[in-house]
Amino acid sequence: MTPPRFPDRLLNWLVAPHLREEVLGDMHERFFRQGEQVGEARARRRYWRDMLAYLRPAFIRRKPSGPAYRDYSQPTHTDMLQNHFKIAFRNLIGGKIYSALNIAGLALGMAGAVLILLWLQNEVSFDRFHAHQDRLFQVYGLAHNPNGASVAIPVTSQPLGPALQKDYPEVEAVARVKDVDRFLMTAQDKSFTGISGAFVDPAFLKMFSFPLVAGVNQEPLTAASSIVITEKLATKLFGEEDPLGKVIRLDASGHVTVTGVLKDLPPNTRFTFEYLLPWDHLKNLGAGWSNDEWLSNNTPTFVLIRPNVDDALFSEKIRDLTRRYAGRNDVWTHFLFPLHQWHLYAEFENGKPVGGRIETVRVFGLIAAFILLIACINFMNLSTARSEKRAKEIGIRKVAGAGRGLLIGQFMAEALLTASLAGGLALLIVQLALPSFNRLIGTQLAIPYGIFSFWLCALGFIGITGLLAGSYPAFYLSSFQATGIFTKQFRKTPMGLSPRKALVVLQFTFAIVLVIATMIVRDQVVYAQERDKGYTNTQLIRVDFIGDIEKNYETIKQALIASGTATSVTKTMSSITDEGARTWGLRWTGEAPKDTNTALTLFSTDADLVKTAGLKLLAGRDIDIYRYPADSFSVLLNETAVKLMGFQNPIGQLITQPHANRTWRVVGVVKDYVVGSPYDNIPPVVIEGPGAWFNTLHIKLNPAQAMADNLDKTEELFRKYNPAYPFDYRFVDQEYAQKFDSEQRTKTLAGLFAAFAVVISCLGLFGLTSFAVEQARKEIGIRKVLGATVGQLITYLSKDFLKLVLIAFLIAIPITWHSMNQWLQAFTYRIGISWWVFVLAGGLALFIALLTVSFHTIRAALMNPVKSLRSE
């Protein structure tokens, strides 16, 4: 029996040479099989029909010739890559539940890491956009104590800036910056108060890269009556009109002309102004604003040095500038602090930068890395746990000739595909979470979709995540031997290999560390919040002196008390929650040299501070310059100041301030109250009579009346005696609460990412439990038939997983104790780490793990054993 000759000849002539052997072979094989089944005659007729099926372009197309020749029988790298991703996609679809767990875990981990990385990028880029960033410095003061310790001061005297410009050719430009937010700004029929601005030298806009979008490009701040505003403020004041040349009234009488409009400031800068006024305008305001005293430090000063100037040598050169001009060798020296350290290294110890926000950046950088790592561990564990499901596939591929490299490529393609899908989901999560995240951290982060480098980084991030997640499964699964696969010698216990256990332990160790850290941060914040402040801030409001308030202070005070709206009123140099002014060099009887150069906090009042703020008077009386005119030269001391000065009977003691030629008499002692940070020791405080200036008044509202009624009556009085300005007040208790914002933010962030870590870890544990239960189905059925109870089965299935969580807890204890103990050292007023925090966190971790594994273990324990043993 032979095939018809003519169809063979026709196919031999028409079919492409590289397909001819395969087509003719298939035709002949089919002919002989049909001949045995239906007879030779029918087989020959069908042979003609089959021949016609091959007369199509796909079979008669000729192979290309020349250098572009491609042998279609040999797959290219592109073909292999396409094949890898096709199979990867099919595997994802085939195991929907476990693919969903993998994608969800990776997406959560990537989203958490991206949120942190966006914030970290914002932190490390602070003020790094300035064109002259490498040559910009802030001039710091350095106060030297006799005991050898030094204190860094971020402000200088006002005349220091011009002296630097005049005396040192190394200086290209100098700018002093004096913040202000007390002006009433009026333009046309709109008025606003409390807008942040700054007085600056004309060179400020040359030194710093805050671009003008309209106005004089060279020096828009040369005239004393000029002002530069941001786009945001321009819209607020003038709407859509062109603001250039428009006049703005400051307070009741000052008028300035808009000479420039700045692009709105980016969120990653230390500066927060919405307008700039020339330094000459500050001088025109008179006393209380401009101060030419060399020994009065109250102004940040910035310097731009010329190219190729050695900043270290120049810093040493200006060291004694104030000493030379003040004619004294017992005052502070100076040094340059570079721009790139302003934001991250703002904490000093003995005059040297020792850290600051950089510590938070490092910690959260590690948190981002670990969150991504535990998400990758999920992928590794779930992939290797499915080894039995993939074993036959691997064995057949190896028998068919696939090398280990080909299998590794296949598994890496699956990991990259999963990471790509997770990356898209993570981007969606980040976009939805950003508004809430921005409110939490107090800034404005955004995903820079329009920047090409962002997409390169995103692809790199997804690629690294895919490679990291897929590396271990790829090398592990590709190591299976074909002979072992088909003889079942590779089969493992339900929990699998010990590396998988180690990965689970690593996951939960990190999650538990974050949980414990969050609890300790919370305890520290609560501990400081519950600290005895030393004063009463309830029913206490504060109003800054603006407009006619200072002029009409006595009238306002009497009217508030007479109307029953307030029980007492006092004026002070600043809010009682602030640190006040710092001073050195006070002298007293029995002084020790090491004590006279200790920094003291200076505060001021006119009368009734003790009554208004609720301070506790321990000895003597309160200052009252109206009943006792001599109190203009009297002071109150706190307990710490009394101890520093060594007074046994402080009342009547004399204290002098030589550089100001003042002598005070001590008339009272108050209990220590919190000044500045609630986490620090209370400094020595000297509360003087009228002092150099007053900036604000404190009003103790009448607690017998409703708060709303008190505020309405207070506003009515202020509108009467200060009609040109809106009534702007602040609650002192809210100002005090703001002191905890940074630690509260750290606590919330740590708690948020601890939740991320716990959820991701539990997703992995959920998947591993599912595989373990699936592999042990027949064993569970046998145990149940032999009399095992549901409780025994749940214990049997859960104990291995809970052991891993317990091991993770034991590892987390010393890590957390050491790291959090180091963190607490930054606070003078701090908690001790309690043992119950670890017990509570460990119990919580075990409980969450038990809930996670219980879904599958309880269902398996309750399952009818007939179903699991049916196939036996």
Side-chain angles (χ1 to χ4, degrees):
M1 187 170 60
T2 59
R5 291 183 179 181
F6 182 75
D8 270 6
R9 289 175 182 174
L10 188 61
L11 288 174
N12 195 50
W13 178 60
L14 289 175
V15 174
H18 64 287
L19 299 174
R20 189 178 299 150
E21 182 179 354
E22 181 181 352
V23 169
L24 289 174
D26 289 346
M27 290 281 290
H28 290 176
E29 181 181 351
R30 192 178 302 114
F31 171 78
F32 288 116
R33 187 171 62 250
Q34 290 178 350
E36 294 175 356
Q37 294 174 352
V38 299
E40 182 176 358
R42 295 182 67 180
R44 293 175 74 86
R45 288 196 298 271
R46 291 183 180 181
Y47 194 86
W48 280 88
R49 186 192 63 189
D50 293 342
M51 180 269 293
L52 294 174
Y54 284 104
L55 300 182
R56 291 181 291 163
F59 295 98
I60 64 176
R61 185 186 299 116
R62 286 296 185 261
K63 185 188 301 181
S65 59
Y69 165 77
R70 173 185 167 189
D71 185 356
Y72 285 91
S73 64
Q74 299 296 324
T76 64
H77 291 296
T78 304
D79 293 331
M80 295 300 295
L81 195 60
Q82 288 177 347
N83 184 59
H84 283 334
F85 280 102
K86 282 181 182 178
I87 295 174
F89 185 74
R90 289 170 186 167
N91 285 327
L92 286 178
I93 298 298
K96 294 183 179 65
I97 294 177
Y98 304 109
S99 298
L101 288 175
N102 268 332
I103 293 172
L106 276 179
L108 282 175
M110 294 168 80
V114 168
L115 282 172
I116 295 175
L117 291 175
L118 283 173
W119 176 64
L120 295 185
Q121 191 276 334
N122 181 72
E123 289 291 301
V124 300
S125 66
F126 250 67
D127 284 312
R128 303 303 294 271
F129 55 86
H130 298 295
H132 305 307
Q133 58 172 299
D134 295 334
R135 298 190 286 129
L136 280 168
F137 298 84
Q138 182 173 357
V139 183
Y140 265 60
L142 193 62
H144 304 274
N145 290 332
N147 58 8
S150 301
V151 178
I153 314 166
V155 289
T156 71
S157 62
Q158 291 183 11
L160 181 132
L164 283 170
Q165 184 79 72
K166 177 173 67 74
D167 295 349
Y168 299 95
E170 296 92 338
V171 175
E172 182 174 323
V174 171
R176 295 162 293 179
V177 179
K178 187 77 170 177
D179 292 333
V180 61
D181 62 358
R182 298 175 60 186
F183 286 132
L184 174 69
M185 304 189 74
T186 304
Q188 298 172 346
D189 58 345
K190 300 176 183 177
S191 295
F192 301 94
T193 188
I195 299 176
S196 297
F199 294 102
V200 297
D201 284 303
F204 179 83
L205 291 177
K206 286 185 176 180
M207 297 168 58
F208 295 95
S209 301
F210 297 115
L212 283 164
V213 296
V216 182
N217 288 323
Q218 296 301 317
E219 292 188 355
L221 293 171
T222 51
S225 60
S226 60
I227 185 173
V228 173
I229 61 178
T230 62
E231 292 176 295
K232 178 182 176 182
L233 182 57
T235 302
K236 185 184 293 186
L237 292 174
F238 303 106
E240 299 300 321
E241 296 181 27
D242 183 3
L244 289 179
K246 293 287 197 310
V247 174
I248 299 174
R249 190 179 70 195
L250 301 180
D251 286 343
S253 57
H255 291 80
V256 291
T257 302
V258 178
T259 56
V261 178
L262 289 172
K263 186 177 181 180
D264 287 336
L265 272 59
N268 57 337
T269 178
R270 64 176 289 172
F271 299 104
T272 59
F273 57 81
E274 289 191 58
Y275 63 89
L276 295 175
L277 290 165
W279 195 264
D280 286 344
H281 188 94
L282 177 141
K283 290 183 176 179
N284 293 340
L285 294 177
W289 292 91
S290 180
N291 186 341
D292 290 331
E293 293 290 332
W294 273 91
L295 296 180
S296 176
N297 292 325
N298 52 43
T299 303
T301 301
F302 303 93
V303 61
L304 175 67
I305 62 175
R306 297 188 184 278
N308 303 319
V309 172
D310 188 314
D311 58 276
L313 292 177
F314 182 62
S315 181
E316 183 64 27
K317 190 173 181 179
I318 67 169
R319 182 179 184 274
D320 295 324
L321 181 61
T322 293
R323 290 183 172 184
R324 189 168 73 247
Y325 273 93
R328 293 177 54 175
N329 290 324
D330 61 344
V331 296
W332 45 87
T333 56
H334 297 286
F335 67 93
L336 297 181
F337 190 46
L339 175 146
H340 64 84
Q341 294 186 345
W342 290 353
H343 185 65
L344 298 178
Y345 296 89
E347 290 186 7
F348 289 80
E349 188 173 293
N350 200 25
K352 302 292 183 182
V354 293
R357 294 181 69 87
I358 187 63
E359 305 299 334
T360 304
V361 167
R362 289 169 180 163
V363 168
F364 278 95
L366 286 175
I367 290 175
F370 274 106
I371 285 179
L372 188 61
L373 178 61
I374 63 174
C376 292
I377 288 173
N378 270 3
F379 184 92
M380 296 176 189
N381 279 342
L382 291 175
S383 298
T384 55
R386 297 184 69 191
S387 57
E388 185 177 357
K389 296 283 186 183
R390 305 294 300 273
K392 290 182 180 179
E393 174 196 342
I394 296 167
I396 291 172
R397 284 173 174 269
K398 286 202 168 186
V399 169
R404 189 177 184 187
L406 188 66
L407 292 172
I408 290 175
Q410 175 62 57
F411 294 123
M412 292 304 295
E414 293 182 17
L416 288 171
L417 179 60
T418 304
S420 299
L421 295 173
L425 181 58
L427 196 62
L428 177 62
I429 294 172
V430 170
Q431 185 62 56
L432 294 175
L434 261 182
S436 298
F437 190 69
N438 283 336
R439 285 193 295 272
L440 173 62
I441 63 177
T443 189
Q444 290 299 317
L445 304 179
I447 301 175
Y449 293 110
I451 300 177
F452 180 70
S453 58
F454 163 75
W455 293 107
L456 285 179
C457 292
L459 289 175
F461 181 70
I462 290 172
I464 291 172
T465 302
L467 293 174
L468 178 63
S471 57
Y472 173 61
F475 285 96
Y476 169 68
L477 294 174
S478 64
S479 67
F480 289 173
Q481 299 299 317
T483 54
I485 291 171
F486 293 114
T487 57
K488 299 292 185 180
Q489 294 176 3
F490 74 101
R491 188 179 178 91
K492 305 297 176 185
T493 60
M495 266 305 294
L497 293 172
S498 56
R500 199 183 310 150
K501 296 179 182 179
L503 292 175
V504 172
V505 169
L506 181 60
Q507 277 185 310
F508 275 92
T509 297
F510 176 68
I512 293 170
V513 165
L514 275 182
V515 170
I516 297 174
T518 302
M519 296 171 69
I520 292 175
V521 173
R522 175 196 169 277
D523 288 347
Q524 171 64 13
V525 173
V526 171
Y527 182 67
Q529 287 175 330
E530 294 178 348
R531 180 182 188 179
D532 181 10
K533 296 182 288 294
Y535 61 89
T536 305
N537 57 13
T538 56
Q539 299 283 332
L540 185 62
I541 65 171
R542 184 176 67 82
V543 181
D544 286 334
F545 281 171
I546 55 174
D548 295 331
I549 293 179
E550 186 169 15
K551 182 178 72 174
N552 295 325
Y553 167 71
E554 288 297 326
T555 306
I556 293 172
K557 177 178 179 178
Q558 295 302 322
L560 286 169
I561 296 174
S563 66
T565 303
T567 57
S568 60
V569 179
T570 185
K571 59 181 179 180
T572 59
M573 68 165 59
S574 63
S575 172
I576 195 167
T577 62
D578 293 341
E579 192 171 357
R582 303 185 77 181
T583 187
W584 289 264
L586 299 186
R587 314 298 292 268
W588 56 86
T589 303
E591 66 191 26
K594 68 179 180 63
D595 295 331
T596 58
N597 275 329
T598 299
L600 293 94
T601 293
L602 197 62
F603 201 65
S604 64
T605 181
D606 65 329
D608 296 327
L609 176 65
V610 171
K611 182 179 180 182
T612 305
L615 300 178
K616 186 175 181 180
L617 194 64
L618 300 179
R621 60 172 176 81
D622 194 2
I623 288 175
D624 190 336
I625 62 172
Y626 308 106
R627 293 179 60 190
Y628 308 101
D631 277 1
S632 295
F633 301 96
S634 298
V635 293
L636 300 174
L637 302 179
N638 72 344
E639 294 175 283
T640 303
V642 171
K643 292 175 184 176
L644 172 72
M645 298 175 182
F647 293 149
Q648 297 298 321
N649 297 299
I651 306 302
Q653 297 285 348
L654 298 179
I655 301 172
T656 60
Q657 191 178 33
H659 66 269
N661 196 25
R662 285 189 288 183
T663 300
W664 297 309
R665 181 180 299 276
V666 179
V667 297
V669 177
V670 296
K671 183 180 177 172
D672 281 345
Y673 64 94
V674 175
V675 174
S677 172
Y679 301 104
D680 292 340
N681 284 335
I682 295 174
V685 178
V686 177
I687 304 170
E688 59 176 327
W693 69 90
F694 290 111
N695 284 326
T696 190
L697 66 139
H698 291 76
I699 303 170
K700 183 70 172 181
L701 298 175
N702 190 347
Q705 298 182 176
M707 173 68 75
D709 292 339
N710 284 334
L711 291 175
D712 288 342
K713 292 177 182 177
T714 304
E715 181 176 4
E716 184 180 340
L717 281 170
F718 274 87
R719 288 191 180 279
K720 178 179 179 181
Y721 294 106
N722 194 34
Y725 293 80
F727 176 54
D728 187 17
Y729 64 92
R730 296 174 178 86
F731 286 101
V732 174
D733 57 350
Q734 292 178 359
E735 289 188 321
Y736 186 80
Q738 290 173 359
K739 295 176 180 289
F740 303 94
D741 283 352
S742 178
E743 285 70 32
Q744 289 277 24
R745 188 175 297 120
T746 300
K747 179 200 73 174
T748 306
L749 285 174
L752 173 65
F753 294 114
F756 264 85
V758 170
V759 170
I760 296 169
S761 299
C762 288
L763 281 175
L765 193 60
F766 184 85
L768 286 177
T769 308
S770 174
F771 278 115
V773 168
E774 183 179 346
Q775 290 185 351
R777 285 181 66 187
K778 290 183 174 61
E779 180 185 352
I780 294 168
I782 294 170
R783 286 177 176 270
K784 200 164 185 181
V785 169
L786 294 177
T789 65
V790 172
Q792 289 172 332
L793 289 173
I794 293 173
T795 303
Y796 169 72
L797 292 170
S798 304
K799 63 181 181 180
D800 285 337
F801 295 106
L802 296 182
K803 283 179 183 177
L804 298 181
V805 178
L806 182 60
I807 292 171
F809 168 63
L810 294 176
I811 295 173
I813 291 175
I815 295 174
T816 313
W817 185 89
H818 174 74
S819 58
M820 295 310 296
N821 191 57
Q822 291 293 109
W823 179 77
L824 287 170
Q825 297 308 309
F827 305 102
T828 307
Y829 187 80
R830 59 179 180 265
I831 61 169
I833 300 178
S834 303
W835 61 268
W836 65 264
V837 173
F838 297 97
V839 174
L840 182 59
L844 183 63
L846 287 170
F847 177 71
I848 293 174
L850 182 61
L851 284 180
T852 303
V853 302
S854 293
F855 177 81
H856 290 298
T857 55
I858 293 175
R859 191 172 66 171
L862 294 174
M863 185 175 60
N864 189 339
V866 174
K867 292 183 179 180
S868 59
L869 298 174
R870 182 178 296 163
S871 62
E872 295 297 326

